[in-house]
Amino acid sequence: MISNIGKMKEYLVRRISPEETYADLLKFPRYLEVETINSCNARCPMCPNVERPRNMKPMKDELFKKIADEIIEHKEEVRRVTLYRDGEPLLDNKLADRIALLKKHGIKATSISTNVSLLTESKAKDLLNAGIDIVIMSIDSLDKASYAAIRCGLDFDVVIKNALKFIEIRNKTRPETQIWMRMIRQKSNYGEWPAYRKYWSRYLSKSDRVYYHDIFNWGGQLKNFKPISKSFEPNLPCVALWSLFVIFCNGDVPLCNVDYRNLYPSGNVKATSIARIWRSEVFNERRRAHLAGNKNRISLCGNCNVWNESVDGKNISLDYAREVDIKTP
């Protein structure tokens, strides 16, 4: 008879890395998000940047090298390194060089998520020449007025032009780079998804992706949050604690990717290693709480729905919840 904790562990392995064991997940993070610049040129209502001052200081070279050296040491375990967290990564003028360093030393996949407004032809070529593997483009609407209300401060025409130009350059120079076109689906654009998918599918290749992510609540921190679908994530242990490691521009390591205020500090990579923090008692205590069904002891975790998954209206998180015998409709 497998205990409920045993079922939760099986669920985490199945969702994160089915070919590995639970113990494997505790050795080193599979995914890392490294914030190389803590600034953004937009103020979107579904993003915490609207309430946070940003100082536009990029990560110092010596700190990035320390982080990169350890990631490279564990390159066989690491699935992807994303040079991005809460801001706009293209504000970092050294971004392409940092991607090139990781790729030179054998990192399997690098990625960024961008609002596309700064993705000029020159920067597109720099990223592709550096060997970037995935570029996530956050474009939430094809309607100019709807877009302006969501991506505040950005120019719709510039964004669409940049996106189409990047696709063109990618096709000619580095077709193996994937483009993930993403809509943050919310009340104002809810009905646009079929037309959105059809439009971008015309331009993208079979290896690319067009998808949506329903608006999420940033662990209860997003003001005036209005969900558009039911989430079962609050009933499940969070995959982030077993798969994702976030590093802020100053080296601080928060609880996870929604802890943008660093309310639950985990350490700082200036003073110690990624591996030591990942295996620390601080992280393990949080994992034990999640496995035991006590994640609500952590304020950000209690009703967080950031990892809720849905595909064309099918709630994947509901399927996961049923698999581990959590009470569902």
Side-chain angles (χ1 to χ4, degrees):
M1 182 76 176
I2 300 175
S3 69
N4 196 51
I5 289 179
K7 288 180 181 179
M8 294 298 187
K9 289 180 177 180
E10 285 188 352
Y11 149 75
L12 289 163
V13 171
R14 188 166 59 250
R15 190 168 179 182
I16 297 168
S17 188
E19 68 277 14
E20 297 186 274
T21 67
Y22 179 81
D24 289 332
L25 301 181
L26 302 178
K27 294 176 182 177
F28 199 81
R30 296 297 177 266
Y31 302 92
L32 295 101
E33 293 184 355
V34 183
E35 178 188 68
T36 68
I37 191 164
N38 61 350
S39 184
C40 190
N41 61 333
R43 287 294 182 266
C44 309
M46 71 284 192
C47 177
N49 279 327
V50 297
E51 62 180 59
R52 177 166 57 157
R54 311 295 277 176
N55 61 23
M56 299 220 31
K57 290 183 179 179
M59 179 177 281
K60 292 182 178 179
D61 291 343
E62 57 267 32
L63 176 56
F64 183 79
K65 185 178 185 306
K66 182 180 187 297
I67 293 166
D69 285 347
E70 186 176 1
I71 292 173
I72 291 163
E73 181 183 344
H74 290 269
K75 63 185 178 183
E76 297 306 319
E77 298 159 89
V78 173
R79 301 280 181 83
R80 185 165 78 239
V81 179
T82 299
L83 298 188
Y84 153 85
R85 184 44 259 150
D86 296 328
E88 171 49 53
L90 293 177
L91 288 167
D92 178 7
N93 292 326
K94 297 181 178 180
L95 181 64
D97 291 338
R98 288 169 168 172
I99 291 167
L101 174 66
L102 294 171
K103 294 303 298 179
K104 177 183 177 182
H105 291 281
I107 296 303
K108 298 182 185 77
T110 57
S111 69
I112 62 167
S113 175
T114 174
N115 62 37
V116 194
S117 65
L118 302 176
L119 189 56
T120 62
E121 184 172 347
S122 175
K123 287 189 177 181
K125 291 177 179 178
D126 287 344
L127 290 173
L128 292 166
N129 289 335
I132 194 166
D133 298 282
I134 301 170
V135 176
I136 303 170
M137 297 188 182
S138 289
I139 303 175
D140 302 310
S141 179
L142 294 173
D143 178 82
K144 196 168 185 175
S146 295
Y147 179 88
I150 296 172
R151 293 284 167 175
C152 301
L154 304 183
D155 186 312
F156 173 81
D157 293 325
V158 169
V159 166
I160 298 300
K161 178 183 176 182
N162 286 350
L164 293 174
K165 190 64 178 180
F166 184 86
I167 294 169
E168 178 187 331
I169 297 171
R170 185 281 308 262
N171 291 347
K172 292 178 180 178
T173 63
R174 197 174 192 274
E176 61 268 37
T177 293
Q178 293 182 20
I179 297 170
W180 293 6
M181 190 63 65
R182 180 179 64 194
M183 168 195 282
I184 301 299
R185 195 173 67 159
Q186 48 206 285
K187 186 177 179 180
S188 62
N189 65 2
Y190 190 89
E192 295 183 40
W193 168 244
Y196 182 96
R197 179 175 59 179
K198 182 178 180 180
Y199 177 84
W200 288 114
S201 295
R202 289 163 43 198
Y203 295 100
L204 298 175
S205 68
K206 290 183 179 179
S207 63
D208 296 327
R209 184 181 180 195
V210 184
Y211 71 110
Y212 66 78
H213 194 306
D214 285 340
I215 188 171
F216 49 86
N217 63 6
W218 289 92
Q221 298 176 96
L222 189 63
K223 294 178 180 178
N224 303 314
F225 171 72
K226 295 178 181 178
I228 61 170
S229 65
K230 182 173 178 56
S231 173
F232 294 90
E233 285 300 305
N235 300 324
L236 295 164
C238 181
V239 293
L241 288 175
W242 285 264
S243 62
L244 178 65
F245 193 87
V246 175
I247 305 173
F248 287 147
C249 202
N250 63 357
D252 282 343
V253 178
L255 167 69
C256 63
N257 56 327
V258 305
D259 187 12
Y260 64 89
R261 294 189 183 99
N262 200 18
L263 297 176
Y264 292 89
S266 306
N268 187 295
V269 294
K270 288 180 182 178
T272 186
S273 68
I274 294 169
R276 186 163 297 197
I277 296 173
W278 185 247
R279 302 168 191 172
S280 68
E281 181 59 21
V282 170
F283 256 102
N284 286 330
E285 176 56 33
R286 294 164 182 167
R287 291 174 181 133
R288 287 192 290 269
H290 276 238
L291 288 172
N294 297 321
K295 63 192 289 186
N296 59 358
R297 292 179 182 174
I298 305 169
S299 63
L300 296 183
C301 302
N303 71 342
C304 182
N305 67 340
V306 69
W307 290 102
N308 186 54
E309 294 185 48
S310 54
V311 178
D312 287 349
K314 179 177 174 57
N315 193 314
I316 307 301
S317 294
L318 172 58
D319 292 342
Y320 284 129
R322 285 173 173 161
E323 285 182 20
V324 293
D325 295 334
I326 288 175
K327 186 177 180 181
T328 59

